Amino acid sequence: MSDLLERILKNTLTAIETGREEIFFIAETSRTETQRLTNELAQLKTDIAEVICQVDFQEKIDRRMRQKLMEVSRAYKKYSEKDMIAAYAEAKDAQVNLQLLQGQETQLRKRRDDLERSLQQMQVTIERAENLMAQVSMAANLLQGGIVEALQAHNHEQRQEMGLRVIRAQDEERRRVAREIHDGPAQTLANIVLRLEIAQKLLEIDPSRVKAELTDLKDLVRSNLQDIRRIIFDLRPMALDDLGILPAISKYLKNFQENYGITCELRIEGREKRVLPAMEVAIFRLIQEGMTNVAKHARSVKVDVTLIYQEDWTIARIQDYGTGFEVNSLFTVSGEHYGLIGMRERVEMFSGLFSVQSTLGKGTTIELSIPSRHEEERQHDSDSDSR
């Protein structure tokens, strides 16, 4: 029976993985088409602007020709029949040219509206594909049973609740990384491909300009490499494994200050002790999420981050001096403060405490407390088990 169940699960996971690859292909195809439509729309808007200028100019010609025709008609005795025929022909030609240009403008505007609707539909398709990929990934994770061992000590309801929190946290992390890559390296790489195509054409037309273009591309690649290294650091700072949480947070705050122009100060209270790796990662991620909220919403020029080591607790406090908000609406208003809600759920996963204090116009203080289990305690438990 167990072999049959294992075979069924294996086949199901294979099917899910195949489906995920197909969804990814749909998303990538949609992104490519979106880029093509965006380029076409940009060119179309340029064409519309040019046609509008031509229409305005032709309207002036049309008015001038009609005015001339009226003058010739009123003073017909002063003009010959040939002059009258010429004036009529000029007015007629001006009117026809104006109508043609106006018709062209109408067609271009209609095409622009169609492209904008297509772009909106493509964006919806991409978003649905991404959401579906996330759901498929959740299903795969559940089937793989990666969280079973961690949940064995809990009853059914606790396992279900904690499982949902773990999956939600994993999904949130995947979305964050996907957003980082999409808004940073992916956009830059698309630009690099476009610039390389330009350089390839310049090589045939104007080789002297290729060198300057390659120099710009080198700078662009270097900048993209820095973005990728930053994303790798955010995923798992090497300093966190090698030196501990303090150097990792210190380096993160230094990068944060450089990127956002917000002054960061790190304060330490108590004697530093290495906690379990899972705890260190959790604390680092929570501080990272808190700082992201500051950058997005606080409008603060300074942030103080305090790490407090107590015997049984590790406490992290993030204090900004920005706009603040109504704390009463934090967990009641739908669609707001998802970052803080996610932080609270992560803290509760570790049986910790989470609090937010905020005053409008004065700033916000976020404090999270997580029960500490230190490395020496784990080593002691390991020695006891071996005995």
Side-chain angles (χ1 to χ4, degrees), residues 27-92:
E28 285 302 298
T29 304
S30 299
R31 288 192 184 94
T32 303
E33 180 64 12
T34 298
Q35 186 61 49
R36 187 191 68 78
L37 291 175
T38 301
N39 295 338
E40 185 178 347
L41 182 60
Q43 181 60 49
L44 196 58
K45 288 180 177 179
T46 302
D47 294 342
I48 290 173
E50 292 177 357
V51 170
I52 288 173
C53 291
Q54 293 175 13
V55 168
D56 291 342
F57 181 72
Q58 190 61 37
E59 283 177 343
K60 294 177 182 178
I61 295 175
D62 180 63
R63 284 194 297 269
R64 191 166 64 248
M65 292 298 100
R66 282 190 284 112
Q67 183 66 31
K68 181 180 177 181
L69 181 60
M70 289 173 60
E71 291 175 359
V72 171
S73 298
R74 281 198 297 263
Y76 63 91
K77 292 182 180 180
K78 292 173 54 178
Y79 296 94
S80 65
E81 184 180 352
K82 184 178 180 181
D83 292 334
M84 294 179 67
I85 293 173
Y88 177 80
E90 289 175 349
K92 188 64 177 177

Side-chain angles (χ1 to χ4, degrees), residues 361-374:
K362 294 186 178 179
T364 302
T365 300
I366 301 171
E367 185 170 292
L368 51 100
S369 306
I370 294 181
S372 299
R373 189 153 187 258
H374 303 292

Side-chain angles (χ1 to χ4, degrees), residues 16 49 68 116 124 136 146 153 190 206 220 234 236 261 267 301 321:
I16 289 175
K68 181 180 177 181
E116 288 177 343
V124 170
V136 169
D206 188 1
L220 198 59
D234 288 345
R236 179 73 184 192
R267 300 170 181 170
V301 296
Y321 304 89

Side-chain angles (χ1 to χ4, degrees), residues 191-192 194-196 198-200 202 208-219:
N191 189 22
I192 289 171
L194 182 62
R195 298 280 292 274
L196 282 171
I198 294 172
Q200 189 176 17
L202 284 175
S208 61
R209 291 176 54 191
V210 174
K211 184 177 181 180
E213 187 69 24
L214 290 177
T215 301
D216 291 341
L217 274 173
K218 184 174 68 175
D219 294 336

Side-chain angles (χ1 to χ4, degrees), residues 53-307:
C53 291
Q54 293 175 13
V55 168
D56 291 342
F57 181 72
Q58 190 61 37
E59 283 177 343
K60 294 177 182 178
I61 295 175
D62 180 63
R63 284 194 297 269
R64 191 166 64 248
M65 292 298 100
R66 282 190 284 112
Q67 183 66 31
K68 181 180 177 181
L69 181 60
M70 289 173 60
E71 291 175 359
V72 171
S73 298
R74 281 198 297 263
Y76 63 91
K77 292 182 180 180
K78 292 173 54 178
Y79 296 94
S80 65
E81 184 180 352
K82 184 178 180 181
D83 292 334
M84 294 179 67
I85 293 173
Y88 177 80
E90 289 175 349
K92 188 64 177 177
D93 289 343
Q95 186 180 36
V96 170
N97 290 335
L98 177 60
Q99 290 174 349
L100 288 173
L101 287 171
Q102 288 174 335
Q104 186 179 352
E105 180 185 353
T106 300
Q107 290 178 353
L108 289 174
R109 287 181 182 274
K110 184 178 182 302
R111 176 58 180 162
R112 179 200 61 192
D113 295 341
D114 291 342
L115 281 178
E116 288 177 343
R117 282 192 292 270
S118 297
L119 270 173
Q120 290 176 353
Q121 292 171 357
M122 294 304 297
Q123 292 292 350
V124 170
T125 300
I126 292 170
E127 185 176 346
R128 286 179 176 175
E130 289 176 347
N131 290 337
L132 190 55
M133 281 184 66
Q135 293 169 10
V136 169
S137 296
M138 287 186 205
N141 289 336
L142 282 172
L143 286 173
Q144 287 169 344
I147 60 174
V148 172
E149 292 183 2
L151 303 175
Q152 284 178 347
H154 301 270
N155 60 37
H156 176 72
E157 290 183 358
Q158 288 175 322
R159 286 202 303 270
Q160 188 178 41
E161 176 64 22
M162 186 166 288
L164 289 172
R165 289 179 179 176
V166 170
I167 292 168
R168 200 157 36 224
Q170 290 174 338
D171 185 47
E172 178 188 339
E173 189 69 7
R174 289 190 183 98
R175 286 179 180 273
R176 183 189 69 79
V177 174
R179 189 165 54 249
E180 286 266 3
I181 294 173
H182 177 269
D183 294 343
Q187 296 284 354
T188 307
L189 286 172
N191 189 22
I192 289 171
V193 171
L194 182 62
R195 298 280 292 274
L196 282 171
E197 290 175 354
I198 294 172
Q200 189 176 17
K201 292 178 181 177
L202 284 175
L203 194 60
E204 301 172 356
I205 302 170
D206 188 1
S208 61
R209 291 176 54 191
V210 174
K211 184 177 181 180
E213 187 69 24
L214 290 177
T215 301
D216 291 341
L217 274 173
K218 184 174 68 175
D219 294 336
L220 198 59
V221 171
R222 185 179 292 114
S223 174
N224 198 46
L225 184 59
Q226 291 175 349
D227 285 342
I228 292 172
R229 285 172 176 163
R230 176 181 56 79
I231 293 172
I232 292 172
F233 173 78
D234 288 345
L235 282 173
R236 179 73 184 192
M238 287 183 291
L240 193 60
D241 294 321
D242 300 336
L243 304 176
I245 192 170
L246 289 183
I249 293 175
S250 179
K251 184 174 181 180
Y252 171 76
L253 293 179
K254 181 181 177 182
N255 292 338
F256 183 91
Q257 182 170 303
E258 291 175 355
N259 290 333
Y260 296 102
I262 301 174
T263 302
C264 301
E265 183 174 346
L266 177 61
R267 300 170 181 170
I268 308 299
E269 296 181 12
R271 186 172 66 87
E272 179 189 0
K273 298 178 74 174
R274 290 297 299 267
V275 297
L276 294 178
M279 296 289 188
E280 288 188 336
V281 172
I283 294 169
F284 180 85
R285 286 282 177 255
L286 288 163
I287 291 176
Q288 193 177 39
E289 183 64 36
M291 296 297 292
T292 300
N293 284 333
V294 171
K296 287 183 177 179
H297 309 296
R299 299 180 185 173
S300 178
V301 296
K302 181 184 177 184
V303 184
D304 293 330
V305 178
T306 306
L307 205 59

